[in-house]
Amino acid sequence: MNKNRRVLAAPYALWAVIFTLVPLGMVIYFAFTTDQGAFTLSNIIEIKSYAKTYATSIWLGFLATVLCLLLGYPLAYLISKLKGVSQRTMVMLIMLPQWMNFLLRTYAWMTILERNGLINNMLEKIGIGPLQMINTRGAVVLGMVYNFLPFMVLPIYSVMTKIDNRITEAAQDLGANSFNVFRRVILPLSMPGIISGITMVFVPAVSTFIISKLLGGGKEMLIGDVIEMLFVGNAVDYNVGSALSLVLMILMLVCMTIMNRFDDSEETGGLMV
């Protein structure tokens, strides 16, 4: 039986080695070597000149994640309370933008936010504007929130639909008001979805480059822009680019580890007493 399992798992193990371990090994190799293949730490030392870029990327990614959580949690809660067709329709509407190409969705926001775009035209009609909305940090964060909001809503919604209504009814029977039911029952039980949502939003938000390039106008490069430039731009440097990528991966792993420590639902059952 165990032998059959190993045989069946072999294709997946091979896939993981080829498309995960091999690329990761190449990134590590280039990060610690020169163009001639000699070992060096200069690429890692070079990272300190990009400290501000890392800080900006983390800050904007953090803002986008917080906004997605503030918008996505109530939305997921409302959807979980719907029944039948209404619930499925709302889930489909959340997923609908994801069926469109990521690049096209971001281009659409360029036309909406530009000086002669839809929003500024509406503001001018009421005597406000035009406002400078495109090529700003706010536009970059808006693009992140729009593109990654479903990644926050769906995990939380998935967890909330599994919360047994009898638990909340029991809390109410014991005298808990609506706020205490939310704080002591619903919020702890939905924590696994929150953790998953934060991870699924923060990781791509920090490493994005298309959103910052199109909506930020390239005025302030994020770490994803720098890495792209070092691999496919005019200033190609695979070694420094690999070092930046390696540090970014480590930062993402650290953030995911920290977030997972907040998820103690398996030990406590998700309830706060």
Side-chain angles (χ1 to χ4, degrees):
M1 187 66 178
N2 291 334
K3 183 178 180 181
N4 292 335
R5 289 180 178 177
R6 287 196 294 268
V7 172
L8 293 174
Y12 303 99
L14 181 62
W15 179 277
V17 169
I18 294 176
F19 294 102
T20 303
L21 297 182
V22 171
L24 181 59
M26 293 177 64
V27 168
I28 296 174
Y29 170 77
F30 281 110
F32 290 98
T33 57
T34 64
D35 292 336
Q36 292 74 33
F39 176 80
T40 182
L41 293 176
S42 61
N43 300 322
I44 303 298
I45 297 174
E46 180 72 16
I47 291 174
K48 65 181 181 182
S49 61
Y50 297 98
K52 182 180 178 181
T53 305
Y54 274 110
T56 301
S57 301
I58 293 173
W59 171 242
L60 295 185
F62 172 77
L63 287 179
T65 304
V66 170
L67 290 174
C68 283
L69 180 59
L70 294 177
L71 294 172
Y73 192 93
L75 182 57
Y77 178 78
L78 292 175
I79 295 175
S80 69
K81 293 303 179 181
L82 297 176
K83 302 296 182 182
V85 176
S86 298
Q87 187 179 93
R88 291 192 293 271
T89 301
M90 287 300 298
V91 172
M92 185 191 70
L93 292 175
I94 294 294
M95 289 297 300
L96 194 60
Q98 303 301 309
W99 298 350
M100 185 185 302
N101 182 271
F102 183 90
L103 189 60
L104 293 179
R105 297 200 306 268
T106 309
Y107 267 118
W109 273 106
M110 290 180 64
T111 61
I112 294 173
L113 298 176
E114 64 185 8
R115 186 176 181 83
N116 296 320
L118 178 63
I119 296 179
N120 270 325
N121 286 336
M122 294 175 62
L123 291 176
E124 284 185 285
K125 290 180 180 179
I126 60 176
I128 303 176
L131 302 178
Q132 178 61 36
M133 293 181 287
I134 196 71
N135 300 336
T136 62
R137 282 190 174 187
V140 174
V141 174
L142 175 62
M144 291 178 180
V145 172
Y146 172 75
N147 282 292
F148 303 136
L149 182 60
F151 300 142
M152 181 68 72
V153 174
L154 295 177
I156 299 176
Y157 154 77
S158 178
V159 171
M160 283 188 168
T161 55
K162 299 175 182 177
I163 297 177
D164 194 335
N165 290 330
R166 291 175 296 181
I167 299 177
T168 58
E169 292 172 357
Q172 292 171 344
D173 291 340
L174 292 172
N177 56 31
S178 299
F179 175 75
N180 284 329
V181 169
F182 171 78
R183 183 172 66 90
R184 293 181 176 274
V185 179
I186 297 176
L187 182 61
L189 289 177
S190 62
M191 192 58 67
I194 295 174
I195 300 300
S196 297
I198 290 175
T199 303
M200 293 176 66
V201 171
F202 184 72
V203 170
V206 171
S207 58
T208 186
F209 62 93
I210 288 296
I211 296 175
S212 55
K213 180 180 294 184
L214 297 181
L215 299 182
K219 289 185 176 181
E220 189 164 11
M221 300 182 69
L222 302 185
I223 194 62
D225 300 303
V226 176
I227 292 174
E228 185 212 16
M229 179 185 67
L230 292 173
F231 278 99
V232 298
N234 297 325
V236 174
D237 190 332
Y238 294 154
N239 303 98
V240 176
S242 296
L244 292 175
S245 301
L246 181 61
V247 171
L248 184 60
M249 285 190 289
I250 293 173
L251 287 175
M252 294 300 99
L253 289 174
V254 170
C255 291
M256 292 171 65
T257 302
I258 294 174
M259 291 306 302
N260 286 334
R261 288 188 176 276
F262 287 96
D263 182 12
D264 58 352
S265 58
E266 292 183 359
E267 297 178 3
T268 66
L271 292 175
M272 296 177 62
V273 294

